[in-house]
Protein backbone atom coordinates (compact mmCIF):
# COMPACT_ATOMS: atom_id res chain seq x y z
CA UNK A 1 0.00 0.00 0.00
CA UNK A 2 2.82 2.44 0.83
CA UNK A 3 4.11 1.96 -2.74
CA UNK A 4 1.00 3.85 -3.79
CA UNK A 5 2.26 7.08 -2.20
CA UNK A 6 3.22 9.58 -4.88
CA UNK A 7 2.82 9.36 -8.66
CA UNK A 8 -0.45 11.24 -8.40
CA UNK A 9 -2.26 12.43 -11.55
CA UNK A 10 -1.55 15.87 -12.96
CA UNK A 11 -4.93 17.39 -13.78
CA UNK A 12 -5.49 20.02 -16.45
CA UNK A 13 -7.86 22.74 -15.20
CA UNK A 14 -9.98 23.36 -18.27
CA UNK A 15 -12.70 25.90 -17.58
CA UNK A 16 -12.32 28.11 -14.52
CA UNK A 17 -9.18 29.76 -15.91
CA UNK A 18 -10.61 30.50 -19.36
CA UNK A 19 -9.94 34.22 -19.04
CA UNK A 20 -6.28 33.31 -19.53
CA UNK A 21 -6.38 31.47 -22.90
CA UNK A 22 -2.61 31.67 -23.24
CA UNK A 23 -2.00 29.81 -19.96
CA UNK A 24 -2.28 26.09 -19.15
CA UNK A 25 -3.15 25.41 -15.50
CA UNK A 26 -2.21 22.02 -14.07
CA UNK A 27 -2.55 20.62 -10.54
CA UNK A 28 -1.19 17.55 -8.78
CA UNK A 29 -4.23 15.67 -7.41
CA UNK A 30 -2.73 14.74 -4.07
CA UNK A 31 -5.89 13.17 -2.66
CA UNK A 32 -4.97 10.14 -4.80
CA UNK A 33 -2.41 9.27 -2.12
CA UNK A 34 -3.64 6.41 0.15
CA UNK A 35 -3.96 8.71 3.18
CA UNK A 36 -5.88 11.24 1.10
CA UNK A 37 -3.39 14.11 1.02
CA UNK A 38 0.02 15.41 -0.02
CA UNK A 39 1.23 14.77 3.54
CA UNK A 40 1.70 11.07 2.82
CA UNK A 41 4.88 12.02 0.97
CA UNK A 42 6.76 13.83 3.77
CA UNK A 43 5.37 11.52 6.48
CA UNK A 44 6.67 8.42 4.69
CA UNK A 45 9.97 10.14 3.92
CA UNK A 46 10.52 11.19 7.58
CA UNK A 47 9.63 7.70 8.83
CA UNK A 48 11.96 6.05 6.30
CA UNK A 49 14.76 8.46 7.24
CA UNK A 50 14.15 7.61 10.92
CA UNK A 51 14.40 3.88 10.14
CA UNK A 52 17.58 4.42 8.12
CA UNK A 53 19.29 6.45 10.83
CA UNK A 54 18.13 4.20 13.66
CA UNK A 55 16.15 7.03 15.30
CA UNK A 56 13.05 4.90 14.74
CA UNK A 57 13.30 1.29 15.89
CA UNK A 58 10.95 -1.48 16.96
CA UNK A 59 9.49 -0.69 20.35
CA UNK A 60 9.39 3.07 19.72
CA UNK A 61 6.26 5.15 19.26
CA UNK A 62 5.92 7.78 16.54
CA UNK A 63 4.77 11.01 18.21
CA UNK A 64 3.90 14.46 16.84
CA UNK A 65 1.52 17.36 17.28
CA UNK A 66 -0.95 17.45 14.42
CA UNK A 67 -4.62 16.96 13.89
CA UNK A 68 -4.36 17.64 10.20
CA UNK A 69 -3.31 15.62 7.20
CA UNK A 70 0.16 14.86 8.58
CA UNK A 71 -1.48 13.14 11.57
CA UNK A 72 -3.62 11.03 9.26
CA UNK A 73 -0.50 10.11 7.23
CA UNK A 74 1.46 9.13 10.37
CA UNK A 75 -1.46 7.08 11.68
CA UNK A 76 -1.91 5.28 8.36
CA UNK A 77 1.79 4.59 7.77
CA UNK A 78 2.36 3.66 11.42
CA UNK A 79 -0.49 1.14 11.22
CA UNK A 80 0.84 -0.29 7.94
CA UNK A 81 4.38 -0.68 9.31
CA UNK A 82 3.36 -1.85 12.80
CA UNK A 83 4.52 1.20 14.79
CA UNK A 84 2.30 2.73 17.48
CA UNK A 85 1.42 6.40 16.83
CA UNK A 86 0.64 9.00 19.48
CA UNK A 87 -0.73 12.40 18.41
CA UNK A 88 -1.19 15.51 20.53
CA UNK A 89 -4.01 17.68 19.26
CA UNK A 90 -6.06 20.55 20.57
CA UNK A 91 -9.58 19.92 21.80
CA UNK A 92 -10.74 22.32 19.06
CA UNK A 93 -9.87 19.80 16.32
CA UNK A 94 -13.01 18.54 14.63
CA UNK A 95 -14.82 15.45 15.84
CA UNK A 96 -14.44 13.95 12.35
CA UNK A 97 -10.62 14.28 12.50
CA UNK A 98 -10.43 12.66 15.89
CA UNK A 99 -12.56 9.79 14.56
CA UNK A 100 -10.30 9.25 11.53
CA UNK A 101 -7.15 9.26 13.68
CA UNK A 102 -8.67 6.97 16.30
CA UNK A 103 -9.98 4.60 13.61
CA UNK A 104 -6.41 4.22 12.32
CA UNK A 105 -5.35 3.19 15.81
CA UNK A 106 -3.53 6.38 16.86
CA UNK A 107 -3.50 7.26 20.55
CA UNK A 108 -4.82 10.80 20.96
CA UNK A 109 -3.59 13.18 23.66
CA UNK A 110 -6.06 16.07 23.83
CA UNK A 111 -4.72 19.52 24.83
CA UNK A 112 -6.56 22.78 25.63
CA UNK A 113 -8.52 24.12 22.64
CA UNK A 114 -7.70 27.80 23.17
CA UNK A 115 -3.95 27.05 23.14
CA UNK A 116 -4.32 25.66 19.62
CA UNK A 117 -1.37 23.95 17.96
CA UNK A 118 1.08 25.67 20.32
CA UNK A 119 -0.37 23.78 23.28
CA UNK A 120 -0.19 20.48 21.39
CA UNK A 121 3.48 21.05 20.46
CA UNK A 122 4.36 21.93 24.07
CA UNK A 123 2.73 18.66 25.14
CA UNK A 124 4.81 16.62 22.66
CA UNK A 125 8.01 18.26 23.97
CA UNK A 126 6.97 17.46 27.54
CA UNK A 127 6.23 13.79 26.76
CA UNK A 128 9.42 13.28 24.72
CA UNK A 129 11.61 14.98 27.35
CA UNK A 130 10.27 12.62 30.03
CA UNK A 131 11.23 9.43 28.12
CA UNK A 132 13.21 10.23 24.97
CA UNK A 133 14.14 6.58 24.46
CA UNK A 134 10.50 5.62 23.89
CA UNK A 135 9.67 8.04 21.09
CA UNK A 136 10.46 8.99 17.51
CA UNK A 137 9.48 12.65 16.98
CA UNK A 138 9.70 13.47 13.23
CA UNK A 139 8.97 17.24 13.69
CA UNK A 140 7.92 18.15 10.16
CA UNK A 141 8.89 21.82 10.60
CA UNK A 142 12.57 21.01 11.11
CA UNK A 143 13.11 17.64 9.40
CA UNK A 144 14.95 17.85 6.05
CA UNK A 145 13.35 14.53 5.01
CA UNK A 146 10.14 16.59 4.68
CA UNK A 147 11.32 18.79 1.79
CA UNK A 148 13.51 16.02 0.39
CA UNK A 149 10.39 13.93 -0.30
CA UNK A 150 9.21 16.62 -2.74
CA UNK A 151 12.71 17.01 -4.19
CA UNK A 152 12.80 13.29 -4.98
CA UNK A 153 9.21 12.73 -6.03
CA UNK A 154 6.80 15.64 -6.60
CA UNK A 155 9.17 17.77 -8.70
CA UNK A 156 10.31 14.92 -10.96
CA UNK A 157 6.71 13.80 -11.49
CA UNK A 158 5.74 17.35 -12.54
CA UNK A 159 8.73 17.55 -14.88
CA UNK A 160 7.77 14.27 -16.58
CA UNK A 161 4.02 14.88 -16.61
CA UNK A 162 4.43 18.26 -18.31
CA UNK A 163 7.05 16.82 -20.70
CA UNK A 164 9.41 19.45 -19.21
CA UNK A 165 7.11 22.26 -20.44
CA UNK A 166 6.46 23.72 -16.97
CA UNK A 167 7.22 27.47 -16.85
CA UNK A 168 5.88 28.35 -13.37
CA UNK A 169 5.47 26.46 -10.09
CA UNK A 170 3.10 27.87 -7.49
CA UNK A 171 2.64 26.46 -3.98
CA UNK A 172 1.62 27.56 -0.51
CA UNK A 173 3.90 27.77 2.50
CA UNK A 174 2.96 25.69 5.55
CA UNK A 175 5.88 23.69 6.85
CA UNK A 176 7.28 24.96 3.51
CA UNK A 177 8.31 21.38 2.58
CA UNK A 178 6.28 21.23 -0.66
CA UNK A 179 7.54 24.59 -1.92
CA UNK A 180 11.16 24.21 -0.83
CA UNK A 181 11.68 20.64 -2.07
CA UNK A 182 9.82 20.96 -5.36
CA UNK A 183 11.38 24.35 -6.17
CA UNK A 184 14.94 23.17 -5.45
CA UNK A 185 14.58 20.22 -7.84
CA UNK A 186 12.75 22.16 -10.57
CA UNK A 187 15.43 24.85 -10.50
CA UNK A 188 18.07 22.10 -10.92
CA UNK A 189 16.17 20.82 -13.95
CA UNK A 190 15.55 24.25 -15.46
CA UNK A 191 16.68 27.40 -13.62
CA UNK A 192 14.28 29.49 -15.75
CA UNK A 193 11.20 28.00 -14.06
CA UNK A 194 9.64 30.77 -12.00
CA UNK A 195 8.63 29.60 -8.50
CA UNK A 196 6.02 31.53 -6.54
CA UNK A 197 5.14 30.90 -2.89
CA UNK A 198 1.71 31.67 -1.41
CA UNK A 199 0.55 32.79 2.01
CA UNK A 200 -2.80 33.64 3.57
CA UNK A 201 -3.49 37.39 3.53
CA UNK A 202 -3.86 37.56 7.34
CA UNK A 203 -2.77 35.73 10.47
CA UNK A 204 -6.37 34.65 11.14
CA UNK A 205 -7.53 32.61 8.15
CA UNK A 206 -9.26 29.40 7.07
CA UNK A 207 -6.66 27.80 4.81
CA UNK A 208 -5.65 24.53 6.39
CA UNK A 209 -1.93 23.92 6.57
CA UNK A 210 -1.05 27.43 5.38
CA UNK A 211 1.22 29.69 7.35
CA UNK A 212 1.22 33.47 7.58
CA UNK A 213 4.97 33.83 7.85
CA UNK A 214 5.11 37.32 9.44
CA UNK A 215 3.16 36.11 12.49
CA UNK A 216 4.16 32.45 12.68
CA UNK A 217 7.28 30.65 13.82
CA UNK A 218 9.53 30.32 10.83
CA UNK A 219 10.07 26.59 10.10
CA UNK A 220 13.73 25.56 10.25
CA UNK A 221 13.48 24.00 6.77
CA UNK A 222 12.16 27.22 5.17
CA UNK A 223 14.50 29.05 2.79
CA UNK A 224 13.18 32.52 1.95
CA UNK A 225 15.76 32.98 -0.82
CA UNK A 226 14.08 30.38 -3.05
CA UNK A 227 10.88 32.11 -4.13
CA UNK A 228 10.96 34.41 -7.13
CA UNK A 229 7.82 36.02 -5.77
CA UNK A 230 5.47 35.68 -2.82
CA UNK A 231 1.72 36.33 -3.18
CA UNK A 232 -1.18 36.50 -0.73
CA UNK A 233 -4.57 34.82 -1.04
CA UNK A 234 -7.83 35.45 0.84
CA UNK A 235 -9.84 32.65 2.43
CA UNK A 236 -13.15 34.00 1.12
CA UNK A 237 -11.89 34.13 -2.49
CA UNK A 238 -10.74 30.52 -2.08
CA UNK A 239 -14.20 29.48 -0.84
CA UNK A 240 -15.78 30.97 -3.97
CA UNK A 241 -13.35 29.10 -6.19
CA UNK A 242 -13.92 25.80 -4.34
CA UNK A 243 -17.56 25.97 -5.41
CA UNK A 244 -16.68 26.88 -9.00
CA UNK A 245 -14.18 24.02 -9.24
CA UNK A 246 -16.86 21.61 -8.05
CA UNK A 247 -19.60 22.89 -10.36
CA UNK A 248 -17.60 23.79 -13.45
CA UNK A 249 -14.81 21.21 -13.41
CA UNK A 250 -16.27 18.38 -11.34
CA UNK A 251 -13.35 18.73 -8.95
CA UNK A 252 -14.33 18.55 -5.30
CA UNK A 253 -11.22 19.99 -3.65
CA UNK A 254 -10.30 21.58 -0.33
CA UNK A 255 -10.27 25.36 0.26
CA UNK A 256 -6.46 25.27 0.36
CA UNK A 257 -6.35 23.61 -3.08
CA UNK A 258 -8.61 26.31 -4.51
CA UNK A 259 -6.42 28.93 -2.84
CA UNK A 260 -3.40 27.47 -4.63
CA UNK A 261 -5.22 27.84 -7.96
CA UNK A 262 -6.10 31.45 -7.06
CA UNK A 263 -2.38 32.04 -6.67
CA UNK A 264 -1.91 30.60 -10.17
CA UNK A 265 -4.50 33.06 -11.53
CA UNK A 266 -2.61 35.95 -9.91
CA UNK A 267 0.57 34.76 -11.61
CA UNK A 268 -1.28 34.36 -14.93
CA UNK A 269 -2.53 37.95 -14.71
CA UNK A 270 1.07 39.11 -14.96
CA UNK A 271 1.90 37.09 -18.08
CA UNK A 272 1.74 39.02 -21.39
CA UNK A 273 -1.14 37.92 -23.65
CA UNK A 274 1.35 37.20 -26.38
CA UNK A 275 3.26 34.74 -24.18
CA UNK A 276 2.46 31.15 -23.27
CA UNK A 277 2.80 29.60 -19.82
CA UNK A 278 2.35 26.23 -18.14
CA UNK A 279 1.60 26.91 -14.48
CA UNK A 280 1.66 23.94 -12.13
CA UNK A 281 0.42 23.80 -8.53
CA UNK A 282 -0.38 21.21 -5.89
CA UNK A 283 -3.92 20.41 -4.73
CA UNK A 284 -3.13 19.17 -1.21
CA UNK A 285 -6.39 17.32 -0.58
CA UNK A 286 -10.03 16.89 -1.56
CA UNK A 287 -13.12 18.48 -0.02
CA UNK A 288 -14.06 15.36 1.91
CA UNK A 289 -12.86 16.64 5.29
CA UNK A 290 -14.32 20.13 4.80
CA UNK A 291 -17.90 19.37 3.78
CA UNK A 292 -19.19 20.44 7.18
CA UNK A 293 -18.01 24.03 6.74
CA UNK A 294 -20.42 26.91 6.52
CA UNK A 295 -19.29 28.40 3.22
CA UNK A 296 -20.97 25.66 1.15
CA UNK A 297 -24.36 27.04 2.20
CA UNK A 298 -23.49 30.71 1.90
CA UNK A 299 -23.64 32.90 -1.17
CA UNK B 1 -23.51 39.44 33.71
CA UNK B 2 -19.87 39.00 32.65
CA UNK B 3 -19.02 36.46 29.99
CA UNK B 4 -15.46 35.62 29.08
CA UNK B 5 -14.33 35.79 25.44
CA UNK B 6 -11.21 33.76 24.72
CA UNK B 7 -8.99 35.38 22.09
CA UNK B 8 -7.09 32.88 19.90
CA UNK B 9 -3.34 33.39 19.41
CA UNK B 10 -3.46 34.72 15.81
CA UNK B 11 -5.83 37.51 16.93
CA UNK B 12 -4.00 38.62 20.07
CA UNK B 13 -1.80 41.15 18.24
CA UNK B 14 -5.05 43.03 17.41
CA UNK B 15 -6.35 42.81 20.98
CA UNK B 16 -3.53 44.39 22.97
CA UNK B 17 -1.92 40.92 23.27
CA UNK B 18 -4.76 39.88 25.59
CA UNK B 19 -5.75 36.21 25.68
CA UNK B 20 -9.25 36.94 26.95
CA UNK B 21 -11.64 39.76 27.78
CA UNK B 22 -14.81 39.96 29.89
CA UNK B 23 -18.00 41.77 28.98
CA UNK B 24 -21.54 42.12 30.22
CA UNK B 25 -23.60 40.61 27.43
CA UNK B 26 -26.92 38.84 26.99
CA UNK B 27 -26.04 37.19 23.68
CA UNK B 28 -22.99 36.01 21.77
CA UNK B 29 -23.52 38.79 19.24
CA UNK B 30 -23.49 41.41 21.99
CA UNK B 31 -20.28 40.02 23.48
CA UNK B 32 -18.53 39.99 20.09
CA UNK B 33 -19.86 43.52 19.48
CA UNK B 34 -18.26 44.73 22.74
CA UNK B 35 -15.04 42.90 21.86
CA UNK B 36 -14.72 44.54 18.44
CA UNK B 37 -15.67 47.95 19.87
CA UNK B 38 -12.94 47.72 22.49
CA UNK B 39 -10.42 46.33 19.97
CA UNK B 40 -11.37 47.94 16.65
CA UNK B 41 -8.62 46.18 14.70
CA UNK B 42 -10.31 42.84 15.40
CA UNK B 43 -13.46 43.71 13.48
CA UNK B 44 -12.23 43.00 9.96
CA UNK B 45 -10.76 39.69 11.09
CA UNK B 46 -14.05 38.46 12.54
CA UNK B 47 -16.74 40.10 10.43
CA UNK B 48 -17.35 40.77 6.74
CA UNK B 49 -17.93 44.34 5.55
CA UNK B 50 -21.69 43.84 5.87
CA UNK B 51 -21.33 42.70 9.47
CA UNK B 52 -21.69 38.93 9.06
CA UNK B 53 -19.39 36.54 10.89
CA UNK B 54 -16.75 35.44 8.35
CA UNK B 55 -17.33 31.94 6.96
CA UNK B 56 -14.29 30.33 8.53
CA UNK B 57 -14.83 31.79 12.00
CA UNK B 58 -16.43 29.30 14.36
CA UNK B 59 -17.79 30.52 17.69
CA UNK B 60 -18.51 28.30 20.67
CA UNK B 61 -20.34 29.01 23.91
CA UNK B 62 -18.68 26.75 26.42
CA UNK B 63 -18.28 23.74 24.11
CA UNK B 64 -21.33 24.28 21.91
CA UNK B 65 -21.02 25.56 18.34
CA UNK B 66 -23.41 28.55 18.03
CA UNK B 67 -24.26 27.36 14.52
CA UNK B 68 -26.35 24.63 16.16
CA UNK B 69 -27.78 26.97 18.80
CA UNK B 70 -29.25 30.38 17.89
CA UNK B 71 -26.15 31.66 16.05
CA UNK B 72 -25.28 35.22 17.12
CA UNK B 73 -28.55 35.42 19.08
CA UNK B 74 -27.46 32.55 21.31
CA UNK B 75 -28.13 33.73 24.89
CA UNK B 76 -25.25 33.90 27.33
CA UNK B 77 -25.29 33.71 31.09
CA UNK B 78 -22.96 34.67 33.89
CA UNK B 79 -19.68 32.75 33.72
CA UNK B 80 -20.08 31.48 30.15
CA UNK B 81 -16.95 31.21 28.02
CA UNK B 82 -17.03 32.16 24.35
CA UNK B 83 -14.30 30.72 22.11
CA UNK B 84 -13.37 31.93 18.63
CA UNK B 85 -11.76 29.21 16.53
CA UNK B 86 -10.82 29.29 12.84
CA UNK B 87 -11.96 26.18 10.98
CA UNK B 88 -8.52 24.78 10.33
CA UNK B 89 -7.77 21.45 11.96
CA UNK B 90 -4.06 21.19 11.30
CA UNK B 91 -3.04 24.60 12.47
CA UNK B 92 0.46 25.97 12.66
CA UNK B 93 2.51 27.07 15.65
CA UNK B 94 2.49 30.79 16.32
CA UNK B 95 5.12 33.24 17.53
CA UNK B 96 3.84 32.81 21.08
CA UNK B 97 5.30 29.32 21.25
CA UNK B 98 8.74 30.69 20.44
CA UNK B 99 8.62 33.26 23.20
Amino acid sequence: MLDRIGNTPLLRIERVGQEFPNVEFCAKAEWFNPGGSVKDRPALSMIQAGLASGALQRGKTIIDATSGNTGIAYAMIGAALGFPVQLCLPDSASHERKRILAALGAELVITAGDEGTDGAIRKVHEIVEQSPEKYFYPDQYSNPANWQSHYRTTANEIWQQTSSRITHFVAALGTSGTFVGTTRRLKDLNPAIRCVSLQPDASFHGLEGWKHMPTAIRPAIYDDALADENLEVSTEDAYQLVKRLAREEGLLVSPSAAAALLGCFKVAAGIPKTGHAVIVTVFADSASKYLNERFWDEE
Amino acid sequence: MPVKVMIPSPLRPYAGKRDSAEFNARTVGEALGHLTTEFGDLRKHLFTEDGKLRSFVNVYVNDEDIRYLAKENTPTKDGDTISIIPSIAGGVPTMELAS
Side-chain angles (χ1 to χ4, degrees), chain B residues 38-94:
Chain B
E38 183 165 342
F39 304 107
D41 291 344
L42 277 181
R43 176 162 289 277
K44 73 177 164 90
H45 291 280
L46 294 178
F47 295 100
T48 61
E49 279 173 14
D50 49 5
K52 278 170 47 185
L53 208 53
R54 292 176 72 184
S55 310
F56 66 91
V57 179
N58 296 322
V59 177
Y60 297 80
V61 174
N62 302 322
D63 284 327
E64 298 286 325
D65 189 335
I66 62 164
R67 246 203 292 181
Y68 306 113
L69 301 171
K71 300 188 178 167
E72 278 111 307
N73 296 322
T74 302
T76 50
K77 59 182 189 311
D78 204 7
D80 277 350
T81 299
I82 297 176
S83 310
I84 302 165
I85 300 191
S87 60
I88 42 177
V92 290
T94 64

Side-chain angles (χ1 to χ4, degrees), chain A:
Chain A
M1 191 264 292
L2 300 181
D3 291 342
R4 293 292 176 185
I5 294 176
N7 287 313
T8 53
L10 185 75
L11 306 177
R12 175 81 182 268
I13 310 302
E14 301 279 358
R15 296 189 190 85
V16 296
Q18 273 179 338
E19 61 186 289
F20 306 106
N22 57 327
V23 177
E24 294 173 47
F25 297 100
C26 302
K28 289 289 275 177
E30 291 297 304
W31 61 91
F32 279 83
N33 285 303
S37 86
V38 67
K39 293 294 191 178
D40 282 8
R41 296 178 192 258
L44 179 64
S45 173
M46 291 186 289
I47 287 169
Q48 284 173 334
L51 287 168
S53 72
L56 174 59
Q57 298 171 357
R58 288 287 152 205
K60 282 199 174 187
T61 294
I62 299 167
I63 189 169
D64 217 327
T66 164
S67 50
N69 284 322
T70 310
I72 295 171
Y74 288 141
M76 176 198 72
I77 297 166
L81 295 178
F83 284 103
V85 173
Q86 195 172 330
L87 299 169
C88 298
L89 62 157
D91 197 29
S92 51
S94 80
H95 182 66
E96 195 70 28
R97 293 305 173 94
K98 293 174 192 159
R99 300 275 292 173
I100 294 172
L101 296 169
L104 286 164
E107 184 194 335
L108 307 184
V109 180
I110 307 295
T111 57
D114 60 314
E115 292 179 25
T117 305
D118 290 4
I121 292 174
R122 279 190 211 106
K123 188 70 186 173
V124 171
H125 290 170
E126 189 186 309
I127 294 171
V128 174
E129 274 162 25
Q130 276 171 10
S131 348
E133 71 289 350
K134 287 188 187 163
Y135 293 99
F136 171 62
Y137 174 29
D139 185 8
Q140 58 174 340
Y141 294 96
S142 313
N143 191 331
N146 173 350
W147 68 262
Q148 286 162 358
S149 68
H150 297 287
Y151 186 92
R152 284 195 314 269
T153 68
T154 318
N156 293 313
E157 292 166 26
I158 290 171
W159 183 251
Q160 283 162 12
Q161 287 168 316
T162 60
S163 307
S164 65
R165 293 167 59 249
I166 174 175
T167 58
H168 295 71
F169 176 66
V170 177
L173 299 174
T175 68
S176 77
T178 304
F179 183 78
V180 166
T182 309
T183 293
R184 283 197 174 129
R185 179 64 184 144
L186 289 174
K187 295 265 188 190
D188 287 348
L189 292 164
N190 176 5
I193 296 171
R194 199 169 161 78
C195 297
V196 179
S197 59
L198 305 176
Q199 291 184 48
D201 63 355
S203 59
F204 195 62
H205 63 89
L207 300 173
E208 173 120 15
W210 286 39
K211 197 186 256 287
H212 184 248
M213 286 292 173
T215 54
I217 297 178
R218 184 193 177 90
I221 60 169
Y222 178 48
D223 176 356
D224 65 2
L226 277 176
D228 294 299
E229 193 179 1
N230 183 50
L231 298 174
E232 295 189 341
V233 179
S234 103
T235 300
E236 276 87 355
D237 290 349
Y239 285 160
Q240 293 302 321
L241 190 56
V242 166
K243 293 191 229 181
R244 285 191 63 201
L245 279 165
R247 292 163 193 172
E248 297 173 38
E249 301 272 354
L251 285 173
L252 202 50
V253 302
S254 61
S256 71
L261 185 59
L262 268 179
C264 296
F265 291 166
K266 290 191 175 194
V267 170
I271 293 169
K273 295 292 174 206
T274 49
H276 183 81
V278 178
I279 304 181
V280 179
T281 191
V282 174
F283 281 178
D285 57 352
S286 76
S288 63
K289 294 185 294 291
Y290 310 93
L291 292 171
N292 202 26
E293 297 198 7
R294 284 210 309 276
F295 73 88
W296 296 101
D297 305 315
E298 293 173 350
E299 275 311 304

